[in-house]
Amino acid sequence: MADAFFQFLLRMGDNTLVLGHRVSEWCGHAPVLEEDIALANTALDLIGQTQLWLGLAGAVEGKGRSADDLAFLRDAWDFRNLLLAELPNGDFGQTLMRQFLFDAWQTVMLGRLMASSDKRVAEIAEKASKEAAYHVERSGGTVIGLGDGTQESHARMQAALDYLWPYVGEMFEGDAVDAAMVKAGIAPDPADLRAEYDALTGRVLGEATLTIPDGKYAHKGGRTGYMHTEHLGHLLTSMQWLQRAYPGATW
Amino acid sequence: MSNEWPLWEVFIRGQHGMSHRHVGSLHAPDAQMAVKNARDVYTRRNEGVSIWVVEARHIAASSPEEKGPLYDPSQSKVYRHPTFFDIPEDVGSM
């Protein structure tokens, strides 16, 4: 159970860590100043949540590892994030589509975790849920604006959705870790989030005049650690290089 | 550039402020996005509890050339300042 709890917390923390780093790659590069700052804010929110999730993960593991140790000193095969989170930014539309697909899941998930039997999990969820509520409003609004925008923006958003949608299924795949979390009342069965997720994404994507692709195929292997995409290793070399090159460096 | 988003002026009411104050401007495609952008650009260090935005073209401003007739006459009217009254403590901020 302790190991399952640790794994669950890694999944939560690695999602926000990896996506937060991805979003931070936009800093100084977004199409307009306002979006640049908004993306940086989102990235910082996600990194802040990571400190809480991975901090608790280290405490639950009980081997003296801090959130920083877990973030900067694990290699790709030890990461437990959804594949969706590590996918490249692509264009601005693809980044916002990825953000929306994640934010929608996160708001539903955090809503359930606020009722967790573990008080620490419930408290992190409550704090993070306010940030997530703003994120999904912003990313959802942009997805609608660009989807139901010009011919060019619509085509880009549809292409982004076609590319990213096969990575959504992984969010709802349960395994033994999830079963242990359900049994302990710590977290919901991932599959139970699907209906609420589909309702939310269906409404926004519909308003964005975008078509959800047919087909049930789901890329997976991120949250179990079975197999990440080629993109994660590249992300980690950039994110972890300082601690790798100068072990223990602080400022 | 004709395809640039319109300019919005942003007013924020601070934690302890009584009224909204002009803090700057930004670009946004519509009012809703202007509020969101204002939230992200101007309240990220916990500066505010309320945001107003108004499209800059809707603000009517006095002309700098008229500042003589507009403002100079009030310079010599010291009796218009309510500095001769004692304000009771209970009134609080005014």
Side-chain angles (χ1 to χ4, degrees):
Chain A
M1 159 53 201
D3 187 56
F5 193 18
F6 175 61
Q7 291 295 321
F8 166 76
L9 293 166
L10 287 184
R11 290 173 179 182
M12 294 304 294
D14 287 347
N15 278 340
T16 51
L17 173 62
V18 171
L19 185 61
H21 185 82
R22 270 286 180 247
V23 176
S24 79
E25 292 170 2
W26 274 102
C27 197
H29 299 278
V32 294
L33 177 145
E34 290 81 354
E35 292 295 343
D36 201 282
I37 294 178
L39 284 168
N41 287 348
T42 300
L44 284 170
D45 286 346
L46 293 172
I47 301 300
Q49 293 171 19
T50 302
Q51 288 183 321
L52 300 174
W53 289 123
L54 293 188
L56 183 54
V60 165
E61 188 195 32
K63 292 182 182 165
R65 289 204 280 182
S66 68
D68 282 343
D69 293 335
L70 290 169
F72 296 116
L73 301 177
R74 282 179 301 150
D75 212 333
W77 45 79
D78 291 325
F79 273 74
R80 296 291 179 265
N81 57 282
L82 296 165
L83 297 179
L84 178 77
E86 69 199 39
L87 294 178
N89 285 337
D91 60 19
F92 180 73
Q94 185 177 313
T95 292
L96 266 293
M97 180 60 79
R98 183 188 61 199
Q99 192 64 38
F100 170 67
L101 295 175
F102 177 81
D103 292 341
W105 173 81
Q106 214 204 9
T107 52
V108 178
M109 181 64 164
L110 292 174
R112 304 292 176 91
L113 290 180
M114 281 162 69
S116 173
S117 64
D118 188 287
K119 196 161 156 280
R120 297 163 298 179
V121 169
E123 281 171 2
I124 295 172
E126 178 156 1
K127 182 168 190 295
S129 69
K130 286 182 196 159
E131 295 169 344
Y134 180 75
H135 296 167
V136 76
E137 197 189 314
R138 184 164 188 111
S139 60
T142 310
V143 164
I144 292 169
L146 293 174
D148 188 18
T150 65
Q151 221 176 354
E152 166 90 20
S153 71
H154 176 85
R156 283 175 182 247
M157 294 312 275
Q158 186 62 55
L161 182 59
D162 292 347
Y163 171 56
L164 295 170
W165 189 256
Y167 291 90
V168 164
E170 188 186 12
M171 297 168 177
F172 310 103
E173 295 268 344
D175 63 3
V177 169
D178 298 298
M181 290 302 95
V182 172
K183 195 156 170 254
I186 292 174
D189 181 346
D192 286 352
L193 309 181
R194 182 93 218 203
E196 209 178 320
Y197 183 85
D198 283 347
L200 173 54
T201 52
R203 181 178 58 74
V204 170
L205 296 172
E207 215 179 311
T209 70
L210 297 170
T211 310
I212 294 175
D214 289 332
K216 295 279 172 223
Y217 181 73
H219 295 284
K220 49 183 184 277
R223 71 195 297 276
T224 60
Y226 176 71
M227 189 164 59
H228 283 277
T229 69
E230 65 185 292
H231 307 295
L232 180 64
H234 293 275
L235 180 149
L236 294 183
T237 53
S238 149
M239 187 180 84
Q240 296 182 333
W241 79 269
L242 196 140
Q243 281 303 321
R244 299 295 190 183
Y246 306 96
T250 57
W251 71 76
Chain B
M1 266 188 358
S2 60
N3 62 351
E4 214 170 78
W5 292 335
L7 186 70
W8 300 77
E9 299 299 333
V10 181
F11 302 82
I12 306 270
R13 186 158 70 80
Q15 302 288 346
H16 305 291
M18 306 285 285
S19 58
H20 290 69
R21 293 175 69 110
H22 184 236
V23 294
S25 53
L26 48 75
H27 290 92
D30 59 34
Q32 260 188 325
M33 277 310 296
V35 171
K36 288 200 181 88
N37 286 346
R39 182 262 192 198
D40 278 311
V41 176
Y42 292 111
T43 69
R44 60 202 298 274
R45 297 188 184 89
N46 201 24
E47 292 95 334
V49 293
S50 174
I51 296 170
W52 288 349
V53 293
V54 60
E55 215 182 314
R57 67 188 175 90
H58 293 308
I59 293 179
S62 63
S63 163
E65 285 121 58
E66 293 174 61
K67 73 178 191 228
L70 282 178
Y71 310 118
D72 286 355
S74 67
Q75 280 175 6
S76 54
K77 314 277 195 305
V78 67
Y79 49 85
R80 289 182 181 171
H81 294 273
T83 51
F84 309 104
F85 301 96
D86 291 325
I87 297 167
E89 290 274 326
D90 296 346
V91 173
S93 35
M94 276 190 75

